[in-house]
């Protein structure tokens, strides 16, 4: 805030002038009754009454405004008291109005932000309960049917148990991902960065997902040989999570007997860019901006029958953001997708 405030003297000036005129007239009339010869002494009377009224009024008005504003400030904490010293008080109404307007504008923006956060929170809660409800009721349905006699029917028993188990699995990974997201947020995302070999991280991620990929006969490969380590600065555990989530997606949404290819490349002098490319179902252009949102899944009807919480990519985005890096996606429906992100090189 500006340290020097514009002061207006016109109010005190005019009021002092009225008082001076009034006092001088009264004195003049009074002395005319006494039969005074010279009225010259009225000049100092006018001057003295003008000056004294002017100073008294100016000081009192300033004090009055200061008190009022301070009270207002305490009541609504509209103005930041720290930035509002006594010497900064203004008696200029335009400046005062502008000040108040600026503060209310600021508060309005704050309220807007809070409203957005609130509606986001509501939507999030709604999504969570919706996502949990579906598999939970499914499990409940199958278990009830089994209890009501289906348990004795050899034909359906295993099928229903299998389905109930699927529902429980789904519940489990939704809760696991939710837990991950909340830990990322609560922990304020403090990263434990260290020098890691990204090639090695991919090798262990390939191993971890080998079985899953084999089920769809998908090959997990590098675009070329990486005989030497490539060191980056990153939080190992979190980046591992990024790699597994992206590779997991490339398998889930990859076509049978397809390929997931990983490339690691230098980008400018201090960055490395990692690309994970599949030749799977791809993503419609209009959805590309939304897939990093929580719970967003392209196919919500479940006809694709692949399990998922819709939280995987939002976890990925979270982690990459925390590293102050960028993630990109390119995709073409029916042809495949490429997810790429940058990392900082380590010496
Ligand atoms: N490699 C991919 N190919 C095609 N679609 C993908 C790919 N990765 C993600 N998607 C789409 O983005 C959505 C969000 O992904 P994600 O957050 O990992 O959730 P989930 O895998 O649990 O469904 C997926 O449901 C899918 O529709
Ligand atoms: Mg996923």
């Amino acid at each position: 805030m500006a340290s020097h405030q514009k002061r207006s003297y016109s109010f005190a000036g005019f009021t002092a002038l009225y008082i001076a005129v009034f006092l001088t007239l009264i004195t003049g009339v009074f002395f005319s009754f006494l039969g005074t010869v010279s009225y010259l002494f009225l000049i100092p009377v006018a001057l003295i009454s003008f000056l004294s009224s002017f100073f008294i009024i100016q000081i009192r008005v300033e004090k009055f405004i200061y008190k009022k504003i301070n009270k207002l400030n305490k009541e609504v904490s509209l103005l930041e008291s720290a930035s509002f010293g006594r010497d900064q008080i203004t008696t200029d109404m335009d400046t005062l109005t502008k000040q108040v307007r600026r503060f209310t504008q600021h508060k309005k923006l704050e309220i807007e932000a809070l409203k957005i956060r609130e509606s986001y929170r509501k939507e999030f809660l709604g999504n969570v309960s919706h996502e949990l409800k579906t598999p939970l009721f499914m499990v409940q349905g199958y278990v009830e049917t089994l209890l009501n006699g289906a348990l004795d029917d050899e034909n359906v028993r295993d099928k229903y148990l299998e389905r109930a188990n699927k529902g429980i699995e789904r519940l489990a990974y939704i809760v696991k991902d939710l837990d991950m997201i909340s830990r990322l947020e609560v922990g304020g995302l403090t990263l434990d960065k260290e020098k890691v070999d990204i090639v090695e991280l991919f090798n262990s991620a390939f191993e971890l997902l080998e079985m899953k990929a084999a089920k769809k006969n998908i090959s997990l490969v590098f675009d070329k040989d990486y005989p030497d380590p490539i060191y980056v600065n990153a939080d190992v555990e979190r980046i591992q999570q990024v790699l597994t989530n992206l590779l997991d997606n490339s398998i889930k949404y990859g076509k049978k007997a397809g390929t997931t290819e990983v490339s690691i490349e230098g980008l400018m002098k201090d960055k490395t860019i990692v690309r994970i490319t599949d030749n799977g179902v791809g993503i419609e252009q209009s959805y590309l901006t939304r897939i990093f949102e929580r719970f967003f899944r392209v196919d919500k009807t479940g006809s694709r029958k692949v399990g998922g919480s819709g939280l995987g990519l939002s976890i990925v985005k979270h982690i990459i953001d925390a590293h102050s890096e960028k993630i990109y996606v390119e995709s073409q429906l029916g042809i495949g997708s490429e997810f790429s992100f940058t990392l900082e090189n380590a010496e």
Side-chain angles (χ1 to χ4, degrees):
M1 185 180 280
S3 60
H4 183 74
Q5 290 294 329
K6 194 174 149 200
R7 280 176 158 75
S8 164
Y9 298 105
S10 54
F11 175 78
F14 279 111
T15 317
L17 190 68
Y18 298 145
I19 292 173
V21 169
F22 182 71
L23 280 182
T24 317
L25 276 178
I26 297 265
T27 321
V29 170
F30 182 69
F31 277 94
S32 71
F33 284 128
L34 297 179
T36 313
V37 196
S38 166
Y39 286 97
L40 271 182
F41 75 96
L42 284 180
I43 294 172
V45 168
L47 267 178
I48 289 167
S49 49
F50 175 78
L51 287 176
S52 48
S53 324
F54 177 80
F55 284 117
I56 290 167
I57 290 165
Q58 183 70 19
I59 288 165
R60 294 295 302 160
V61 164
E62 277 184 21
K63 192 164 177 184
F64 176 76
I65 292 180
Y66 176 73
K67 264 172 125 178
K68 287 278 168 205
I69 287 181
N70 242 1
K71 196 165 157 231
L72 202 69
N73 176 20
K74 284 205 182 90
E75 273 169 11
V76 291
S77 67
L78 184 69
L79 311 175
E80 291 156 30
S81 46
S83 61
F84 219 77
R86 174 147 202 168
D87 56 325
Q88 286 174 336
I89 210 70
T90 176
T91 45
D92 181 70
M93 281 301 142
D94 276 349
T95 317
L96 191 63
T97 317
K98 263 189 220 141
Q99 255 177 24
V100 173
R101 205 172 283 154
R102 205 168 49 229
F103 279 108
T104 44
Q105 194 64 30
H106 179 70
K107 290 286 153 190
K108 249 191 216 155
L109 287 178
E110 241 170 55
I111 291 167
E112 286 301 310
L114 285 175
K115 271 189 191 155
I116 291 171
R117 211 181 302 166
E118 173 64 11
S119 77
Y120 176 72
R121 193 186 63 85
K122 276 188 193 151
E123 193 189 306
F124 182 62
L125 267 182
N127 277 333
V128 171
S129 49
H130 175 80
E131 293 296 322
L132 291 176
K133 219 165 57 186
T134 323
L136 188 65
F137 288 169
M138 186 174 106
V139 174
Q140 197 183 33
Y142 286 119
V143 171
E144 258 174 27
T145 322
L146 283 167
L147 285 176
N148 290 338
L151 205 54
D152 304 323
D153 186 339
E154 292 274 326
N155 293 327
V156 296
R157 193 183 63 192
D158 287 354
K159 198 166 79 187
Y160 283 8
L161 275 175
E162 196 64 48
R163 287 183 189 170
N165 192 41
K166 271 250 152 60
I168 291 172
E169 267 175 17
R170 184 157 162 66
L171 278 173
Y173 53 61
I174 291 173
V175 172
K176 208 181 86 214
D177 282 353
L178 274 174
D179 182 53
M180 179 74 189
I181 277 220
S182 71
R183 265 189 302 139
L184 285 175
E185 282 183 357
V186 172
L189 273 177
T190 39
L191 294 179
D192 200 2
K193 275 197 192 176
E194 56 185 295
K195 179 176 167 178
V196 290
D197 176 11
I198 187 80
V199 181
E200 194 195 314
L201 284 190
F202 266 112
N203 276 321
S204 50
F206 282 175
E207 256 169 50
L208 190 77
L209 291 163
E210 210 171 41
M211 295 256 279
K212 196 167 184 176
K215 274 190 193 157
K216 281 180 82 174
N217 200 13
I218 286 177
S219 354
L220 303 174
V221 296
F222 283 113
D223 65 327
K224 59 173 195 216
D225 258 353
Y226 290 93
D228 301 320
I230 297 173
Y231 291 111
V232 292
N233 263 326
D235 185 315
V236 184
E237 241 174 79
R238 302 257 154 86
I239 291 300
Q240 240 157 8
Q241 175 92 50
V242 168
L243 304 191
T244 8
N245 284 9
L246 292 178
L247 288 174
D248 180 62
N249 280 350
S250 80
I251 298 168
K252 279 197 326 197
Y253 310 109
K255 66 166 191 232
K256 283 209 170 80
T259 307
T260 295
E261 192 180 88
V262 170
S263 80
I264 308 165
E265 216 182 293
L267 184 73
M268 295 181 289
K269 64 175 192 298
D270 56 344
K271 297 272 180 197
T272 289
I273 185 159
V274 174
R275 293 195 179 85
I276 296 168
T277 315
D278 64 57
N279 50 4
V281 293
I283 305 160
E284 215 178 286
Q285 223 57 27
S286 57
Y287 293 138
L288 281 184
T289 49
R290 300 202 54 200
I291 53 167
F292 292 103
E293 284 174 20
R294 286 168 182 181
F295 297 113
F296 185 83
R297 306 191 70 201
V298 173
D299 186 9
K300 300 213 175 202
T301 57
S303 61
R304 210 185 279 152
K305 297 235 171 24
V306 286
S309 61
L311 291 169
L313 284 179
S314 61
I315 291 175
V316 166
K317 176 98 168 59
H318 244 300
I319 297 174
I320 298 296
D321 281 351
H323 279 80
S324 306
E325 298 294 342
K326 292 255 184 297
I327 180 153
Y328 308 95
V329 54
E330 273 174 51
S331 189
Q332 240 176 320
L333 207 58
I335 292 182
S337 318
E338 178 181 287
F339 286 83
S340 53
F341 60 93
T342 55
L343 284 171
E344 183 187 64
N345 291 343
E347 294 311 311

